[in-house]
Amino acid sequence: MQSSRDVVAGNIDLVTEILLRLPVKDVGRCKCVSKQWLSLISNPQFCHSHSCRLSNTSASCFLWYRSYSQFHRIPLTNFDSNSSTIRTYQFRDKRVLRYTQIIHSCNGFILFKHVYYRGKHLRRYNSYEVVNPTTKHSRTLKFPGQNFHYEISALYLAVDPLISIHFKVISFLRVQSESRCIEYDETSGPKKFEINTYSSETSSWNGDGVFFTAPPNFIVDSGVYFNGAIHWYNSGESSIYFDVHRQCFKTLPEPEFDNSRNVHVKYFGESRGHFLLILTKSNESLDFDILELKEDYSGWVVRYHVDLNLIGDAFSRHVDRPFYVLCVVHQASEEDSMVVLFQDSKIMSYNLKDHTSRIIYESEDFRYITAYEMGKYFCPCFETLLNVGLKRTYEWNNLES
């Protein structure tokens, strides 16, 4: 007579429903149960269904670019400083890899830029790669022209399992004048761009690009992908977003804020299906509101209020040591939602419900990271099984921390 455990294990439909509700790490462990379970978990349809269930999951960890091609994985939740939760990863490559840079991350996928040197004169060249660090699958981007990647001002990933099982890469190329000189405005940098889209479904770029004249003070590589569009916020100027599917621009509403031209943008991003914005009157302000964009894009509402004066001695209040908001982790349970801060040599969390704080990670190496480099050194991400458009060609060297 079969035990209840054997009955459950042999019912593939029931097993599927159970596995779809487990975190990625636990699902990976279940591959060892049997060949039938391994086949189920490796099935692209199962991976897509599992990713859809986790589509509104907040970031669970950071990738910290440590040096050259080496990264630290720093967990944001369930952290135990006495355990081996901090892992170090390094790219394996037989070529002369100078360094690797994080370009963009989206729903568990990361776009890397590799810089190589080759030949006796060590000529530099770049390579771009879309990677799922969880499954170690990747795809190297192939560009339509030899000089295409030299003119790139920004690249964005568009990954959303609820919209499509495939991913896209959106490129913003600097437009050149007839004299082949890039058009610049003396105060705001490149003014005109050509937008092209790569689809993993066809493994090709679109034939006709979209041309775009940027508003004043537009920073092309500061956008955030959310809800099928790339969003930019410009203080006191026209904030816009680019609809990736319809290939058109629209205007974002301005939040109600006194003297919006002189505010400091502390954070602009998304978490668990919520699009959030943090503005402060000065770079040293320790209390602020977290604004959320309404679903119909009609305006902004106050979601949380934060007072960093409630943090203890771990937080420095010296004006020469400003803090930075790395991300907002919005959880299903309000008690677990938090703001992740960076200051001096520490990554800290601030609980949005009970206003408590803790140090997540501390390193002397952090002291040399500037505000401009934040996005290049810290990449919020979470685990996903989605692999559509990627191949098993990628490996980490997993080093002990």
Side-chain angles (χ1 to χ4, degrees):
M1 183 176 179
Q2 282 187 313
S3 66
S4 57
R5 182 184 62 181
D6 293 334
V7 172
V8 171
N11 187 330
I12 198 64
D13 292 333
L14 181 56
V15 169
T16 300
E17 289 301 313
I18 294 173
L19 292 177
L20 285 175
R21 288 162 172 78
L22 294 180
V24 171
K25 182 181 292 186
D26 294 335
V27 173
R29 291 171 179 166
C30 291
K31 289 183 177 181
C32 302
V33 172
S34 67
K35 291 183 178 179
Q36 186 183 35
W37 284 33
L38 172 62
S39 177
L40 168 64
I41 296 170
S42 302
N43 186 289
Q45 184 58 50
F46 173 85
C47 294
H48 179 238
S49 298
H50 190 273
S51 299
C52 286
R53 285 184 177 271
L54 296 179
S55 60
N56 282 334
T57 302
S58 296
S60 60
C61 65
F62 268 106
L63 279 186
W64 164 41
Y65 171 64
R66 188 176 183 184
S67 63
Y68 296 104
S69 59
Q70 193 176 102
F71 293 83
H72 266 353
R73 181 188 180 276
I74 304 175
L76 297 178
T77 56
N78 301 322
F79 178 78
D80 181 2
S81 58
N82 295 319
S83 66
S84 57
T85 53
I86 304 297
R87 309 297 293 178
T88 300
Y89 301 102
Q90 186 169 357
F91 279 96
R92 292 181 60 185
D93 203 311
K94 296 180 180 179
R95 294 170 290 183
V96 183
L97 177 59
R98 177 56 177 156
Y99 64 86
T100 293
Q101 178 181 338
I102 297 170
I103 300 298
H104 190 228
S105 65
C106 183
N107 287 330
F109 282 31
I110 302 177
L111 177 59
F112 289 101
K113 174 184 177 181
H114 305 302
V115 178
Y116 298 94
Y117 289 98
R118 65 182 176 188
K120 63 179 182 179
H121 299 296
L122 295 180
R123 187 168 62 88
R124 169 175 166 167
Y125 70 103
N126 303 329
S127 173
Y128 293 87
E129 185 178 25
V130 179
V131 176
N132 181 343
T134 302
T135 63
K136 301 179 182 179
H137 285 64
S138 71
R139 173 179 288 195
T140 299
L141 290 181
K142 295 183 178 180
F143 296 102
Q146 184 176 0
N147 296 321
F148 186 93
H149 64 281
Y150 290 112
E151 300 174 355
I152 291 175
S153 293
L155 285 174
Y156 291 96
L157 268 174
V159 184
D160 191 341
L162 295 179
I163 297 177
S164 172
I165 62 173
H166 302 281
F167 72 85
K168 294 182 178 181
V169 176
I170 299 89
S171 69
F172 286 74
L173 272 64
R174 297 170 294 191
V175 173
Q176 297 181 343
S177 65
E178 294 181 358
S179 61
R180 307 301 294 171
C181 295
I182 299 171
E183 295 187 358
Y184 281 91
D185 180 274
E186 292 181 356
T187 59
S188 59
K191 293 287 293 181
K192 294 183 179 180
F193 300 94
E194 179 183 355
I195 305 171
N196 294 275
T197 303
Y198 172 89
S199 171
S200 66
E201 182 177 13
T202 61
S203 299
S204 63
W205 294 83
N206 60 327
D208 299 320
V210 176
F211 288 90
F212 164 60
T213 300
N217 301 320
F218 178 77
I219 303 176
V220 67
D221 60 355
S222 66
V224 176
Y225 179 79
F226 170 76
N227 196 28
I230 305 170
H231 303 69
W232 294 266
Y233 180 78
N234 295 325
S235 299
E237 304 289 348
S238 296
S239 297
I240 57 176
Y241 62 99
F242 177 68
D243 189 311
V244 173
H245 177 68
R246 295 182 175 84
Q247 296 281 290
C248 65
F249 282 89
K250 298 180 182 179
T251 302
L252 272 176
E254 286 293 318
E256 295 182 5
F257 201 89
D258 295 337
N259 195 12
S260 60
R261 288 184 176 273
N262 295 320
V263 300
H264 293 260
V265 181
K266 281 291 187 179
Y267 179 74
F268 183 62
E270 62 90 22
S271 177
R272 203 178 181 89
H274 301 264
F275 201 69
L276 306 170
L277 172 66
I278 298 176
L279 303 176
T280 59
K281 294 180 179 179
S282 71
N283 205 31
E284 295 79 29
S285 298
L286 296 181
D287 63 320
F288 52 82
D289 292 327
I290 300 179
L291 307 177
E292 180 178 347
L293 184 66
K294 295 181 179 180
E295 289 188 11
D296 60 1
Y297 279 53
S298 61
W300 299 83
V301 295
V302 176
R303 181 73 177 182
Y304 301 102
H305 179 74
V306 176
D307 185 359
L308 298 182
N309 289 293
L310 300 177
I311 294 183
D313 296 336
F315 189 80
S316 174
R317 290 162 179 79
H318 295 295
V319 295
D320 60 339
R321 295 180 180 178
F323 72 92
Y324 306 96
V325 178
L326 293 180
C327 70
V328 177
V329 180
H330 189 283
Q331 302 284 35
S333 172
E334 290 287 340
E335 286 74 15
D336 298 323
S337 296
M338 61 184 177
V339 177
V340 181
L341 308 168
F342 174 87
Q343 187 191 47
D344 202 9
S345 61
K346 298 182 285 289
I347 297 178
M348 296 174 286
S349 69
Y350 175 93
N351 188 285
L352 292 169
K353 185 69 174 181
D354 60 21
H355 312 295
T356 58
S357 64
R358 65 181 176 87
I359 297 176
I360 295 175
Y361 192 68
E362 186 172 5
S363 173
E364 287 297 318
D365 293 339
F366 290 166
R367 294 183 182 273
Y368 306 102
I369 301 176
T370 66
Y372 175 76
E373 297 171 323
M374 283 293 162
K376 299 178 181 178
Y377 278 82
F378 294 101
C379 171
C381 59
F382 67 90
E383 296 176 326
T384 177
L385 296 174
L386 192 64
N387 278 319
V388 176
L390 305 183
K391 298 180 180 179
R392 180 79 183 198
T393 58
Y394 169 73
E395 295 183 41
W396 288 106
N397 268 338
N398 193 352
L399 310 174
E400 291 297 331
S401 176

